[in-house]
Amino acid sequence: MRRHAVGWSVACLSAIACAGPASDSATRDTMSVRGTKIGVAPPAGVNDGEWSMPARDYASSRFSNLSQITPANAKNLHVSWTFSTGVLRGHEGQPLVVGKTMYVITPYPNVAYALDLTQPGFPLKWKYRPENAQAAVGIACCDVVNRGAAFADGKIVYNLLDGHTVAVDAATGTELWRTAMGDINKGETITMAPIVVKNKVIVGSSGGEMGVRGWIAALDLATGKQVWKAYNIGPDADIKAGPRFKPFYEQDRIANSGTASWPGNSWTVGGATVWGWVSYDPALNLIYHGTSNPGPWNGSQRPGDNKWSAAIIARDADTGDMIWAFQPTPHDIWDYDAVNENILVDLPIDGATRKALVHFDRNGFAYTMDRATGQVLLAQPFVPMNWASGIDLKTGRPSVNVDKATAQGKNVKDICPSLEGGKNQQPAAFSPKTGLFYVPTNNLCMDFEGREVTYIAGTPYIGGNAPEKGGPGGYKGEFIAWDAVHGKKIWGIKEPFPVWSGALATAGNVVFYGTLDGWFKAVDATNGAVLYQFKVGSGVVGAPMTYTGPDGKQYVAVYAGIGGDMGLLIAGDVAANLPFDVRERGTTLPDLPRYTSWGGMLFVFSL
């Protein structure tokens, strides 16, 4: 079998794996991936100074052509202004800037603000506080986060925790439509950021820990009416796997794969939600999304591959038809999911330019794939890991280390990465200037014991106990630069805590990210040198963005507000007493409360 061997182990892990900031040779390595480019252009009418959709463009690159901030002057950055959201809990996602207005979305109760960037003090143009059922707070797993809004056709569109999608007039804040999509009585909530594709608002469900059945849907931008809806598990008709569905790997080409790979009717409560990010390729007319863990976590209750949970799925944007699907982790028994972003780039691989999709999976492998077919071109570990020894490129399947396979009544020790994954919700960025991906990562391991669990609608359906611990090397997170052409790390910045913020890459060759202990950093995109850092008031779990102000200056904005799964559930006295916590409280990051506490603040930086 053709196999890419894994150089990681729980001890120390190859020269590249343990390297610090790049040497001259690492800098030269970046030259071999230059000439790569973002595979999908921004929507028509979007200019470089704006940020009108969650990841800046359809490719999910989180790259901006703004270049005023450079390695030479980044030391002169300072806080230009701040804004309090009035809400605590986890501030994931990012603001939007369209024209001369900034739009901010808070965690529950999901208040939207429009800030006037032309006036001193940046006063509110409007504030929209939607109806949002309080019951959703007790239902939502892993905090009451919201990953942001999208702008299109004069509307700000975003999701509410209680399962509604709303559109408001971008000029006035007037609610234009409100559509019920999820049912909180079943445990369905919505935390993901929508994108707008061809006047369709693409949304997906959360609640994989509640025994829901995950779906993705398209709403008409003008009216909010549902255009199509597809489940991710179930019969072919429900998941929209028709004649056009052609998985690349032969073992996946079976009728009703979304039921045949599950015992009995367990698929009806099998998870596979879409709480992560969505990308779009206009040339192929395909949207790309991941799906969450299967339910319950206890894999002994659901033998089989459990398709299409923990999967990457390509769908026709007009109809929702499934075109291809791929499972990075078949029969996920570690809660690895596959909801992380899919970055669309064109890469030089084996002497030819490939329309690629790059995905940093929670299972610890970085996948470089063909986005037209779903073929895995390259898969290498990007964090310390030991649950699998490699990926067989003939089948796309991992070679699982049997001593790390979890089961009911079996307490498996020291599985790496932990259920938080090598990377979680925190989105990576790609720079066509360097050809590198900038990836916030976690270095955690876990013990895992599967437990029998009974499904009760609207309650946790987990079936596992999984205390976590720091991974090898004495650090718990690292911000890395990754070469997806050759499958290797170029440089890395080790952090004492998991890096839970998103990344931002800019044409000035400066990359930005934040830390759980509250540092916001600007680093040199080529070698990882830290150029500037500032201690904000709370841990950073949001994603930085950049824009041009009315004064012509480049600004960089980020939320400070610790929360999400990492910040809420396991950070000692920062945690809330929620029933979803399968870890021993305060043991994973016992020192974090010394450095940060809850907050809700927007910080804006400039030269």
Side-chain angles (χ1 to χ4, degrees), residues 39-407:
V40 174
V46 174
N47 67 54
D48 288 342
E50 296 184 332
W51 195 286
S52 63
M53 57 194 305
R56 174 112 208 329
D57 53 31
Y58 284 139
S60 293
S61 75
R62 296 186 181 266
F63 172 79
S64 170
N65 278 316
L66 300 186
S67 59
Q68 289 182 12
I69 301 169
T70 69
N73 63 24
K75 63 180 181 294
N76 298 321
L77 285 166
H78 65 279
V79 176
S80 179
W81 58 279
T82 63
F83 174 75
S84 174
T85 67
V87 180
L88 302 179
R89 309 290 284 263
H91 282 62
E92 295 181 357
Q94 56 290 304
L96 302 180
V97 169
V98 180
K100 298 176 181 179
T101 305
M102 175 180 283
Y103 300 94
V104 169
I105 309 295
T106 76
Y108 181 90
N110 305 137
V111 179
Y113 295 100
L115 307 177
D116 188 343
L117 298 178
T118 68
Q119 299 298 317
F122 312 101
L124 289 181
K125 286 187 172 182
W126 51 257
K127 174 182 178 180
Y128 167 70
R129 187 183 181 97
E131 295 182 15
N132 201 345
Q134 176 71 30
V137 175
I139 294 295
C141 168
C142 322
D143 207 0
V144 294
V145 298
N146 183 282
R147 297 187 181 89
F151 170 87
D153 193 29
K155 301 175 181 65
I156 296 293
V157 186
Y158 68 102
N159 294 308
L160 307 183
L161 189 68
D162 71 355
H164 288 82
T165 303
V166 297
V168 299
D169 187 293
T172 66
T174 302
E175 182 178 291
L176 301 175
W177 53 257
R178 172 189 176 96
T179 303
M181 296 301 298
D183 183 350
I184 59 174
N185 296 312
K186 296 179 180 178
E188 290 181 325
T189 52
I190 305 182
T191 58
M192 60 89 75
I195 67 166
V196 179
V197 172
K198 299 171 71 173
N199 293 317
K200 297 180 182 66
V201 181
I202 310 298
V203 300
S205 60
S206 303
E209 277 66 47
M210 304 293 283
V212 303
R213 184 182 174 205
W215 50 262
I216 188 168
L219 307 179
D220 180 77
L221 176 62
T223 65
K225 293 182 179 179
Q226 183 174 296
V227 179
W228 57 257
K229 181 177 182 179
Y231 289 96
N232 300 312
I233 49 180
D236 282 351
D238 290 4
I239 67 175
K240 291 186 171 288
R244 299 174 64 196
F245 180 49
K246 297 178 180 179
F248 183 83
Y249 296 100
E250 184 176 357
Q251 75 269 5
D252 297 332
R253 301 170 193 161
I254 59 174
N256 293 305
S257 56
T259 57
S261 57
W262 295 79
N265 65 351
S266 60
W267 54 269
T268 62
V269 290
T273 59
V274 186
W275 57 263
W277 312 94
V278 181
S279 308
Y280 172 59
D281 184 334
L284 298 174
N285 197 35
L286 296 180
I287 60 169
Y288 303 89
H289 68 88
T291 64
S292 79
N293 58 284
W297 291 2
N298 177 11
S300 297
Q301 293 185 229
R302 45 170 178 81
D305 277 358
N306 310 135
K307 299 181 184 309
W308 291 99
S309 65
I312 301 167
I313 298 176
R315 295 183 181 276
D316 184 290
D318 295 328
T319 64
D321 289 349
M322 193 182 286
I323 305 302
W324 60 258
F326 168 72
Q327 275 186 312
T329 315
H331 187 55
D332 179 7
I333 52 177
W334 304 272
D335 184 38
Y336 281 155
D337 296 41
V339 294
N340 291 350
E341 70 284 351
N342 300 294
I343 304 175
L344 312 183
V345 292
D346 295 339
L347 296 177
I349 296 174
D350 294 333
T353 298
R354 299 292 292 264
K355 291 183 176 297
L357 175 156
V358 177
H359 173 88
F360 297 91
D361 199 77
R362 279 174 58 172
N363 71 14
F365 286 99
Y367 292 82
T368 301
M369 303 175 64
D370 186 307
R371 66 178 181 266
T373 66
Q375 178 188 8
V376 178
L377 307 173
L378 180 74
Q380 290 287 344
F382 65 97
V383 293
M385 54 97 72
N386 63 14
W387 71 276
S389 59
I391 303 297
D392 181 356
L393 295 187
K394 289 185 177 179
T395 64
R397 297 176 74 90
S399 296
V400 175
N401 292 334
V402 294
D403 59 341
K404 301 302 178 184
T406 70

